[in-house]
């Protein structure tokens, strides 16, 4: 994270925190709309537990309607963990710092732009968002 200014780090931290809250709210809303009673029971738990727990809680659920949200929440949780350990914003492939513009637009990015492009060429079907 050495390539980022303190103000940039704080901004990215806030972005991740907000995304975490938004995703939990969306998951909760979707669960509450469900016709399945069990889903509505789970909705009350989404706000209180850690990201991994939410993901585990919902992983066994046959609920394609929240799959993407749960995956995103897991990504945000991982990003915040990298944040806490000071390795956030470092490309997992080449070890270079990921540009602030890229992180601001895509706070859960784990690869720099060049490596992401390379990765997509070899993993065409994953559909990872890019800039
Ligand atoms: Zn890279």
């Amino acid at each position: 994270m050495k390539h980022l200014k303190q103000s940039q780090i704080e901004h990215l931290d806030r972005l991740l925190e907000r995304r975490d809250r938004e995703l939990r709210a969306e998951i909760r809303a979707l669960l509450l709309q469900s016709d399945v009673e069990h889903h509505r029971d789970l909705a009350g738990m989404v706000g209180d537990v850690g990201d991994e727990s939410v993901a585990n809680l919902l992983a066994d659920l046959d609920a394609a309607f929240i799959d993407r949200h749960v995956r995103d929440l897991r990504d945000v949780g991982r990003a915040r963990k990298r944040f806490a350990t000071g390795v956030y914003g470092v490309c997992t492939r080449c070890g270079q710092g990921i540009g602030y513009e890229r992180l601001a637009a895509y706070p859960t990015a784990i690869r720099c732009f060049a490596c992401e492009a390379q990765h997509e060429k070899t993993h065409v079907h994953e559909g990872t968002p890019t800039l």
Side-chain angles (χ1 to χ4, degrees):
M1 276 159 68
K2 286 190 199 88
H3 65 294
L4 298 169
K5 290 185 212 141
Q6 188 58 32
S7 60
Q8 295 175 332
I9 289 172
E10 281 165 16
H11 178 62
L12 292 167
D13 191 27
R14 278 199 302 275
L15 282 181
L16 284 170
E17 197 189 321
R18 193 172 67 201
R19 190 74 190 118
D20 184 272
R21 270 204 312 272
E22 282 169 3
L23 282 167
R24 284 171 195 263
E26 283 167 29
I27 290 171
R28 202 160 43 225
L30 286 167
L31 286 170
L32 286 172
Q33 284 165 22
S34 169
D35 294 329
V36 184
E37 193 181 346
H38 179 56
H39 291 177
R40 295 196 299 271
D41 289 343
L42 287 172
M45 300 166 71
V46 171
D48 307 322
V49 293
D51 303 308
E52 282 300 315
S53 310
V54 174
N56 292 338
L57 198 68
L58 303 174
D60 301 329
L61 207 62
D62 180 24
F65 63 104
I66 52 169
D67 267 2
R68 193 176 56 82
H69 291 81
V70 172
R71 213 163 45 228
D72 286 354
L73 185 64
R74 205 189 275 258
D75 282 347
V76 169
R78 287 192 183 127
R80 298 186 77 188
K81 211 168 278 174
R82 290 197 300 277
F83 221 99
T85 52
V87 295
Y88 176 80
V90 177
C91 177
T92 54
R93 193 165 174 272
C94 71
Q96 299 288 314
I98 302 170
Y100 172 68
E101 276 75 26
R102 175 165 168 74
L103 289 170
Y106 180 25
T108 56
I110 56 169
R111 280 178 289 269
C112 71
F113 188 74
C115 289
E116 184 63 44
Q118 193 60 39
H119 179 79
E120 298 226 329
K121 248 186 250 171
T122 44
H123 301 83
V124 183
H125 302 294
E126 276 184 26
T128 317
T130 50
L131 289 178

